[in-house]
Amino acid sequence: MIIVKTKRLHISKIVLKDAAFFLQLMNTPGFLKYIGDRNIKTIADAKAYLKSGLLKSYKVHGFGYYKLTLKEEPDRPIGIVGILKRDVLEHPDVGFALLPEYERLGYSYEASIEILKLAKDRFNLKKITAITNPDNDKSIKLLEKLGLKLEQRTDPFNEGKDLLLFGKAL
């Protein structure tokens, strides 16, 4: 189900059939380095991850992560963008990830602009945050371009790793 169309993208709800795409995305070098290894090694692992997290978020919070596809290739996912409400953060946070061949083409920015509009207008969120590794220059630049400002260093997952917390009032 498409929730938003942009100039070049369809932004749709994730479904269980997207498990193979998630298996691929979550094992790309950038995902593993900057987001982390979620131990998704099989289609079954990906389905379980989707059921327990991303799909559950739609039911519990009314929002979550969304699949990105190019308008001219609507059956081929290229990435995700969305909003999660994590127990360890006060406010929902925006996030994004693309397959490597689609990075640096402006897709994350294009999709994130629309997700921030939804956050404010449809989901009635008052503030959005984002967390990223201090060495993830691409994400930091994108967050700043989206108008989020660095608020603090934090270790929300108690892993002994400082992350940067960005925020923006909506």
Side-chain angles (χ1 to χ4, degrees):
M1 174 201 334
I2 296 173
I3 62 160
V4 178
K5 293 180 183 182
T6 70
K7 182 178 176 186
R8 303 179 295 167
L9 301 169
H10 289 163
I11 304 173
S12 308
K13 279 193 170 182
I14 293 164
V15 294
L16 216 48
K17 289 188 319 186
D18 295 319
F21 163 67
F22 270 84
L23 176 62
Q24 178 186 10
L25 178 69
M26 296 176 84
N27 286 288
T28 61
F31 197 100
L32 293 169
K33 179 178 181 181
Y34 294 117
I35 299 171
D37 188 348
R38 300 294 188 253
N39 203 29
I40 308 297
K41 306 303 178 202
T42 66
I43 297 286
D45 292 342
K47 284 182 178 179
Y49 179 83
L50 291 176
K51 284 180 187 175
S52 68
L54 301 184
L55 299 179
K56 184 179 174 184
S57 181
Y58 295 144
K59 291 178 185 168
V60 174
H61 301 291
F63 53 80
Y65 274 103
Y66 301 94
K67 172 179 60 181
L68 304 178
T69 56
L70 298 175
K71 281 187 175 179
E72 64 268 13
E73 292 184 77
D75 294 327
R76 182 186 162 112
I78 66 163
I80 58 173
V81 66
I83 306 163
L84 284 183
K85 177 56 188 109
R86 302 174 201 260
D87 292 339
V88 297
L89 295 175
E90 181 179 355
H91 301 283
D93 68 290
V94 64
F96 36 80
L98 292 173
L99 294 173
E101 61 267 33
Y102 297 99
E103 292 177 350
R104 297 186 178 264
L105 298 171
Y107 294 125
S108 290
Y109 178 74
E110 185 174 326
S112 295
I113 288 290
E114 294 303 319
I115 291 300
L116 292 178
K117 287 179 191 174
L118 287 175
K120 180 181 179 184
D121 299 336
R122 187 181 300 177
F123 307 133
N124 299 310
L125 299 179
K126 303 299 179 212
K127 182 175 181 173
I128 197 78
T129 59
I131 50 175
T132 189
N133 284 316
D135 60 344
N136 191 344
D137 294 333
K138 289 188 289 187
S139 283
I140 292 168
K141 287 177 185 171
L142 177 54
L143 293 172
E144 290 172 340
K145 187 174 180 181
L146 291 167
L148 282 83
K149 305 286 185 213
L150 179 61
E151 293 184 351
Q152 67 183 36
R153 286 183 172 266
T154 184
D155 182 11
F157 306 109
N158 295 317
E159 296 174 338
K161 289 192 316 190
D162 268 355
L163 298 175
L164 302 178
L165 176 74
F166 287 78
K168 174 182 178 175
L170 297 176

